[in-house]
Amino acid sequence: MGCFSLLSLSANASTLISSTEYIDYELPKTVQDQCYKKSNCPEIEVKYLKTNHDWINNIVNARINNLVINSKPSESPVNKSTTIKAAKLAIDDFARSQFKDMPADSSGSYSLLVKPEYLGHVQQGHVQQGHVQQGSTKSTQTEDFELFEINSYVFTGGAHGMPLSEYLIFDVNSKKQVTLADMLQPGKQSRFKALAYQAYKEWVKTVDEDVSNYEKNWPFTLSDNVTLTDKGVNIRYQHYDIGPYAYGMPVLSIPYAKLSGIIKPSFLAK
């Protein structure tokens, strides 16, 4: 789920219209013949993004196809294609594997859920210095970003399934996806990592009284899974990245006030 409310984002209007649509998919007949009798058909729920910006759709939906194609470990070479056709073939394999991997008398079923979510629109800005004959001038340069998240869940037996959450940031002006590397000023990764580490220690205090002991078992690592909020930059971690499964997918927050001089001005709040 998103880690912040759309209502908390910038009030500036977005021209983006966002919705989702299910993949056009039907289980193979051989799978249907087996699972309908036991009412244990694999649960398949794959949705694609449908907005009025094709370039955003292409990036997000290619990532969705990639997650579907790699939803189950395979001994065969991974198909690098990210087309809908490749995704459907991967779902076929996923569904068939339920009856290969599970005991014949099992009533359990596999699950594959992937869907995008629109988190909202933010408009960031920074002051630019200019010079004219009479002196210096100032102008505000604004940047528009559209924020998304892809959530997936895979269950292939065992105690629990494996959720995953990925942030995606899109620069409307340049029509490109933005990564953490794009956001950082040159040579500032170590400073950003230090701030993230401080946020990690603050988060650890909410789950364990002994930070140093906790860190021995679950050491800090820097994730590049980031998004923008109205208050700062959020860093999302997956299950088992910095904590046991029961602790979910932690989010570390770094306020903009601490990021001045570390991330580029175009990513700072106005």
Side-chain angles (χ1 to χ4, degrees):
M1 296 296 291
C3 57
F4 52 90
S5 167
L6 296 186
L7 297 177
S8 70
L9 296 177
S10 168
N12 293 286
S14 169
T15 59
L16 185 137
I17 301 171
S18 179
S19 63
T20 59
E21 59 183 7
Y22 284 97
I23 188 174
D24 181 16
Y25 175 80
E26 185 177 0
L27 289 170
K29 189 176 184 306
T30 53
V31 173
Q32 294 182 31
D33 291 343
Q34 295 180 78
C35 68
Y36 281 173
K37 297 176 183 179
K38 294 183 179 181
S39 297
N40 70 333
C41 291
E43 181 184 8
I44 308 296
E45 184 178 322
V46 176
K47 290 184 177 181
Y48 290 114
L49 183 67
K50 186 177 182 181
T51 76
N52 56 333
H53 293 281
D54 288 340
W55 65 276
I56 292 179
N57 297 340
N58 292 337
I59 295 173
V60 173
N61 293 335
R63 181 57 187 153
I64 290 171
N65 286 335
N66 185 272
L67 288 170
V68 170
I69 292 167
N70 293 284
S71 58
K72 195 171 189 297
S74 173
E75 295 179 1
S76 303
V78 176
N79 186 344
K80 294 184 179 181
S81 172
T82 56
T83 64
I84 294 179
K85 180 180 179 181
K88 289 181 178 180
L89 291 173
I91 297 174
D92 286 347
D93 290 341
F94 181 88
R96 292 190 184 100
S97 69
Q98 172 181 312
F99 300 95
K100 296 177 181 178
D101 301 342
M102 285 190 167
D105 59 350
S106 173
S107 60
S109 60
Y110 281 6
S111 295
L112 173 59
L113 315 175
V114 188
K115 62 178 181 178
E117 180 181 354
Y118 179 47
L119 297 181
H121 167 262
V122 291
Q123 187 177 74
Q124 311 291 64
H126 60 285
V127 176
Q128 285 188 323
Q129 290 288 144
H131 295 278
V132 294
Q133 288 182 348
Q134 290 77 15
S136 62
T137 62
K138 292 182 179 181
S139 63
T140 301
Q141 178 72 29
T142 59
E143 301 286 344
D144 292 279
F145 301 100
E146 299 292 357
L147 312 175
F148 290 85
E149 184 176 19
I150 298 176
N151 293 294
S152 69
Y153 176 81
V154 177
F155 177 74
T156 55
H160 54 72
M162 184 56 68
L164 182 140
S165 174
E166 291 187 3
Y167 291 135
L168 298 98
I169 305 173
F170 297 104
D171 185 334
V172 176
N173 298 340
S174 65
K175 293 187 177 182
K176 292 181 180 179
Q177 183 180 355
V178 175
T179 66
L180 175 59
D182 298 324
M183 295 167 60
L184 293 174
Q185 295 197 35
K188 300 299 182 180
Q189 184 182 25
S190 60
R191 288 186 61 187
F192 183 85
K193 185 175 182 179
L195 289 174
Y197 178 53
Q198 289 300 317
Y200 158 83
K201 289 193 290 186
E202 290 301 316
W203 171 77
V204 171
K205 292 177 183 177
T206 68
V207 296
D208 196 309
E209 295 180 355
D210 191 337
V211 175
S212 60
N213 186 63
Y214 180 93
E215 190 173 2
K216 292 177 182 177
N217 297 309
W218 298 99
F220 168 77
T221 58
L222 180 61
S223 169
D224 60 1
N225 187 19
V226 302
T227 195
L228 301 168
T229 76
D230 59 328
K231 295 181 175 61
V233 173
N234 278 4
I235 310 170
R236 164 79 77 183
Y237 287 83
Q238 309 303 336
H239 286 280
Y240 298 119
D241 281 350
I242 56 173
Y245 184 89
Y247 290 176
M249 293 181 282
V251 174
L252 308 182
S253 299
I254 305 175
Y256 288 121
K258 294 183 178 181
L259 290 168
S260 179
I262 297 177
I263 63 173
K264 296 171 183 175
S266 57
F267 297 100
L268 293 171
K270 290 192 294 184

